[in-house]
Amino acid sequence: MRGPAVARVITVAVVDDDRMLLDGLRVWLEEVPGVVLAATACTVDGLLGARGAGPVPYDVVLLDLVLADGSRPPDNIRRVRAAGPRVLVISTVADRRRIVAAIAAGADGYLTKDHDLPALVEAVEEVAGGGTVHSPELAFAWAHDDGPARPRLSPKERQVLLEYASGLTLKATARRAGVSPHTAKYYLDRVKEKYQQAGRPT
């Protein structure tokens, strides 16, 4: 006879040079069952330490897009992903090119810092489960990307992007596009895959 299922605990690390944010997240996440804040650091070097390229024991790293040490966001994302964890970028920055470059480098989602705790926890759970966190800011960056390396999108992918980028919920976006919410998310996931394929070295 099998015993009751054990709830999975998600281990989270945060890389951010905003001390108030780090302290706030520490207090916030203490109250969240199933999510443990295992480490904080001001730089990716500080998080990965002397481990070199070895794996780290975190499921998700919340990574600030722009750090004061002058490190490049795509490099930071690639280094963290190479160490094992999935990456959720959190930022106040709304620069479209930086957002696009972050996803192309392997980030699993982009969330602005003005979201509340339930939205952050939902995003962490989505990323830890292998999913992608889509936000209107990310959709807007993709929809208005004019970079030379932008991938070719299908008409339906572009329609879903534009609707979602306008601030509609996923459900309302799906209704406008004449598809189910599941299919709308699939289109957004496809766009992410295309950007990550375009961002990989050939």
Side-chain angles (χ1 to χ4, degrees), residues 97 100 104 145-153 194-200:
R97 285 188 175 84
V100 167
D145 179 21
D146 56 4
R150 69 187 183 280
R152 185 184 300 274
L153 303 181
K194 287 182 176 183
Y195 268 93
Q196 292 191 338
Q197 285 168 3
R200 290 187 190 114

Side-chain angles (χ1 to χ4, degrees), residues 2-88:
R2 297 171 72 181
V6 178
R8 178 169 178 254
V9 174
I10 300 168
T11 56
V12 174
V14 184
V15 179
D16 199 302
D17 45 31
D18 182 335
R19 290 274 306 277
M20 287 176 67
L21 179 106
L22 291 178
D23 290 345
L25 282 174
R26 197 173 287 115
V27 171
W28 262 14
L29 292 174
E30 275 177 7
E31 307 297 318
V32 179
V35 177
V36 173
L37 180 56
T40 61
C42 295
T43 63
V44 170
D45 283 338
L47 180 71
L48 300 182
R51 294 172 185 272
V56 293
Y58 316 119
D59 297 310
V60 178
V61 171
L62 304 180
L63 178 62
D64 190 12
L65 186 63
V66 180
L67 297 169
D69 66 350
S71 55
R72 294 183 65 248
D75 294 341
N76 287 337
I77 292 162
R78 289 187 190 101
R79 287 183 63 202
V80 173
R81 286 303 306 263
R86 294 173 66 79
V87 175
L88 174 60

Side-chain angles (χ1 to χ4, degrees), residues 38-159:
T40 61
C42 295
T43 63
V44 170
D45 283 338
L47 180 71
L48 300 182
R51 294 172 185 272
V56 293
Y58 316 119
D59 297 310
V60 178
V61 171
L62 304 180
L63 178 62
D64 190 12
L65 186 63
V66 180
L67 297 169
D69 66 350
S71 55
R72 294 183 65 248
D75 294 341
N76 287 337
I77 292 162
R78 289 187 190 101
R79 287 183 63 202
V80 173
R81 286 303 306 263
R86 294 173 66 79
V87 175
L88 174 60
V89 172
I90 53 171
S91 184
T92 55
V93 174
D95 181 281
R96 295 199 307 263
R97 285 188 175 84
R98 283 183 169 171
I99 296 171
V100 167
I103 299 300
D108 299 291
Y110 178 92
L111 206 62
T112 53
K113 290 181 179 178
D114 56 359
H115 285 81
D116 59 14
L117 179 59
L120 176 63
V121 170
E122 186 179 331
V124 165
E125 290 172 344
E126 178 72 25
V127 168
T132 300
V133 174
H134 296 292
S135 62
E137 296 86 5
L138 175 54
F140 186 85
W142 278 333
H144 299 281
D145 179 21
D146 56 4
R150 69 187 183 280
R152 185 184 300 274
L153 303 181
S154 73
K156 195 57 94 172
E157 287 165 351
R158 184 153 180 78
Q159 181 188 4

Side-chain angles (χ1 to χ4, degrees), residues 128-195:
T132 300
V133 174
H134 296 292
S135 62
E137 296 86 5
L138 175 54
F140 186 85
W142 278 333
H144 299 281
D145 179 21
D146 56 4
R150 69 187 183 280
R152 185 184 300 274
L153 303 181
S154 73
K156 195 57 94 172
E157 287 165 351
R158 184 153 180 78
Q159 181 188 4
V160 167
L161 266 187
L162 288 168
E163 299 289 4
Y164 195 51
S166 73
L168 293 176
T169 64
L170 192 61
K171 200 176 278 187
T173 294
R175 196 165 39 246
R176 282 264 188 98
V179 297
S180 71
H182 177 79
T183 302
K185 187 176 185 310
Y186 168 77
Y187 283 128
L188 294 174
D189 288 343
R190 280 271 306 278
V191 174
K192 175 198 165 188
E193 286 170 19
K194 287 182 176 183
Y195 268 93

